[in-house]
Amino acid sequence: IVFALAATGSGMLSVPAQGGEFVDYYKHDPKIEGDIHRPSLLPDKQTLLFVVDRVDTGADTIGVLANGTRKDILRIENETLDSPAYSPTGHILYHRETTTPGLWALPFSLERMEATGPPFLVEPQASYPSVAANGTMVFVEGSVSGLASLAWLDIATGTATPALKEQFPTISFPKLSPDGGRVAAVVQSLDQGRVVIVA
């Protein structure tokens, strides 16, 4: 299991699935990088996708780590990037928080491990994308009321439909089941604090 303790200013750590000691998996450069966070696997089950939070400019970079070699695939100065996820359509999906906030897509080649075109907006005011192996995607949809809801996105038509009737003050970190049929997310409930829901 590879993970990042972003709040402590770390690189990436690993631990056996059966449990054990944490060991360094990838060390960041603390002189220029505050931390590395949101690691996720690409389809080859070996290459990691992640966000780089730089000391001087913030979380403005998305990188990959393949066979011990790191490559930055997207850097947008004066932006905050978050939650990158690979889509089988051949894109890296990510949340952009600053200019034109929303869910963006970067055309991407798995063979070359590099961008193949400029990023484009997929859904305004959306965040935390999660994509199943069959292409099913879920994301957090914001609203002018200050409440958020989960939504499904049909990649073929670009149509978003609600996944839940309820809205919450915050929804974060939705993750799809491998078959794309279910989603779990952390929500802030008005009466129960932070809880995990499964839809």
Side-chain angles (χ1 to χ4, degrees):
I1 299 172
V2 177
F3 63 99
L5 300 173
T8 65
S10 74
M12 288 182 283
L13 305 173
S14 66
V15 63
Q18 299 80 12
E21 296 293 321
F22 298 166
V23 297
D24 287 322
Y25 186 83
Y26 176 78
K27 291 185 178 182
H28 70 305
D29 184 348
K31 295 182 187 134
I32 60 172
E33 297 166 347
D35 62 62
I36 289 175
H37 53 267
R38 303 275 193 268
S40 63
L41 276 175
L42 291 179
D44 65 5
K45 303 299 183 187
Q46 297 180 6
T47 304
L48 286 165
L49 179 68
F50 50 85
V51 173
V52 181
D53 194 344
R54 297 180 184 275
V55 171
D56 57 347
T57 58
D60 64 358
T61 302
I62 295 174
V64 292
L65 181 67
N67 300 318
T69 301
R70 174 177 153 188
K71 179 194 288 187
D72 292 341
I73 59 170
L74 177 67
R75 183 175 184 191
I76 308 176
E77 293 187 4
N78 303 314
E79 282 291 338
T80 299
L81 311 179
D82 196 13
S83 304
Y86 180 75
S87 167
T89 58
H91 298 85
I92 300 295
L93 301 168
Y94 63 94
H95 175 214
R96 181 168 165 169
E97 294 183 8
T98 316
T99 308
T100 317
L103 179 60
W104 286 69
L106 176 71
F108 184 75
S109 167
L110 284 174
E111 292 75 26
R112 301 197 307 267
M113 288 294 163
E114 63 185 36
T116 58
F120 58 90
L121 181 65
V122 175
E123 186 73 17
Q125 302 298 328
S127 59
Y128 297 115
S130 180
V131 186
N134 66 4
T136 301
M137 182 172 78
V138 68
F139 61 89
V140 174
E141 184 177 50
S143 73
V144 294
S145 68
L147 298 176
S149 63
L150 281 174
W152 296 104
L153 179 69
D154 185 324
I155 294 177
T157 65
T159 304
T161 57
L164 295 170
K165 293 180 180 177
E166 298 89 350
Q167 291 185 316
F168 302 92
T170 62
I171 300 178
S172 54
F173 314 118
K175 292 296 177 186
L176 281 167
S177 60
D179 64 3
R182 303 186 65 160
V183 59
V186 177
V187 304
Q188 180 184 1
S189 173
L190 291 173
D191 56 349
Q192 300 179 39
R194 291 173 70 82
V195 297
V196 175
I197 59 167
V198 178

